[in-house]
Amino acid sequence: MTKPIIRIKGLKKSYGDLEVLRSVDLEIMPGEVIVVIGPSGSGKSTLLRTVNHLEVPTGGTIFLKDTLINDTSLKGRAFERHLCHIRTNLGMVFQHFHLFPHLSILQNIIEGPTQVLKRDKQQSIEQAVELLNSVGLADKKDVYPDLLSGGQKQRVAIVRALAMNPDVMLFDEPTSALDPELVGEVLSVMESLATKGMTMMVVTHEMDFARKVADRVIFMDGGYIIEQGTPEQIFNNPQHERTQKFLASIHL
Ligand code: ADP
Ligand code: MG
């Protein structure tokens, strides 16, 4: 039987008195595309950030295959190795691209593979060019991020994460900072990744994308997963009043 690639159990996160994640349980299967929706402040980003260990949970466990992500027993070099393993296997794409402005597009992409993973430079360049080609940006490899549109920058950010050969890709509102006419080009790259079998966890307000690409839609509110199901179930027949209210509020 196939095992989950990510297992989240009893996950909690507080900032002082503010409980942001109250108790989240979630298992993600290899190749599954999960879209996370919910009102602002419901804990969606925090969920993604704890999975990538950018935030340390207050309670609960997150496993990537057999690795406990929030392993607090690791110190020093062992912890650094652990973090490197997590960041390599979980690619993350943010709302604001976070490209290095002083590096060319190619340098941005090979930085992780060559510096962190110590891979061969020539091979990393070849892989980067291939990936850039797959998102229609092969001709941009030698320019600097400033010269690209937001949609192009975000496609580069996706390529940069993919260059580490991650098992899972996490997207936190990847199209929210883009001009409307640039949203489609990023979503279509994400859709093609999903089609190729990438395991993905996507926070987005793009409901058409969710309907078309998600295997499962998760609705969060107040630090809980309130409801989850297929796009059909969640969008056409939401069971929980809070889900119904949220969906009504965003004018589907
Ligand atoms: P969402 O992504 O669903 O909009 P977030 O996970 O970003 O929600 O935030 C959930 C809540 O946690 C919000 O009330 C936010 O203000 C709070 N929060 C997020 N990060 C921090 C932080 N570093 N320190 C204090 N509060 C935070
Ligand atoms: Mg957020």
Side-chain angles (χ1 to χ4, degrees), residues 44-45 172-173 203:
K44 306 180 299 294
S45 294
D172 193 358
E173 299 200 28
V203 176

Side-chain angles (χ1 to χ4, degrees), residues 15 18 20-21 38-47 49 55 172-173 203:
Y15 296 104
L18 182 69
V20 176
L21 298 177
S40 176
S42 56
K44 306 180 299 294
S45 294
T46 306
L47 175 62
R49 293 170 62 82
E55 301 284 352
D172 193 358
E173 299 200 28
V203 176

Side-chain angles (χ1 to χ4, degrees), residues 6-140:
I6 290 184
R7 278 181 295 137
I8 301 173
K9 221 171 159 25
L11 185 67
K12 294 186 196 332
K13 176 69 185 176
S14 301
Y15 296 104
D17 291 341
L18 182 69
E19 285 185 81
V20 176
L21 298 177
R22 289 167 196 268
S23 184
V24 173
D25 296 315
L26 180 63
E27 292 194 341
I28 304 176
M29 301 305 285
E32 204 178 9
V33 178
I34 306 265
V35 166
V36 183
I37 61 172
S40 176
S42 56
K44 306 180 299 294
S45 294
T46 306
L47 175 62
L48 245 57
R49 293 170 62 82
T50 51
V51 170
N52 202 27
H53 212 48
L54 288 165
E55 301 284 352
V56 182
T58 326
T61 53
I62 309 171
F63 281 90
L64 169 67
K65 295 181 185 164
D66 294 322
T67 306
L68 176 63
I69 291 183
N70 55 319
D71 188 344
T72 48
S73 71
L74 299 170
K75 309 276 181 253
R77 292 288 289 275
F79 177 73
E80 275 166 34
R81 269 200 306 276
H82 173 69
L83 209 54
C84 178
H85 175 74
I86 290 164
R87 299 279 157 80
T88 304
N89 286 289
L90 294 162
M92 181 126 174
V93 175
F94 303 88
Q95 190 175 343
H96 301 282
F97 335 110
H98 299 304
L99 298 177
F100 301 115
H102 61 289
L103 297 181
S104 73
I105 298 307
L106 187 67
Q107 287 166 334
N108 261 282
I109 297 165
I110 66 167
E111 175 82 6
T114 57
Q115 300 301 313
V116 180
L117 303 181
K118 312 288 181 209
R119 286 193 194 142
D120 176 71
K121 187 167 174 191
Q122 200 49 44
Q123 255 178 323
S124 302
I125 291 174
E126 280 166 27
Q127 187 203 17
V129 170
E130 214 171 282
L131 284 168
L132 278 173
N133 209 9
S134 73
V135 302
L137 292 175
D139 59 330
K140 302 291 184 203

Side-chain angles (χ1 to χ4, degrees), residues 6 97 106 126 179 183 196 207 221 248:
I6 290 184
F97 335 110
L106 187 67
E126 280 166 27
D179 291 333
V183 168
K196 287 180 199 148
M207 299 301 162
D221 197 9

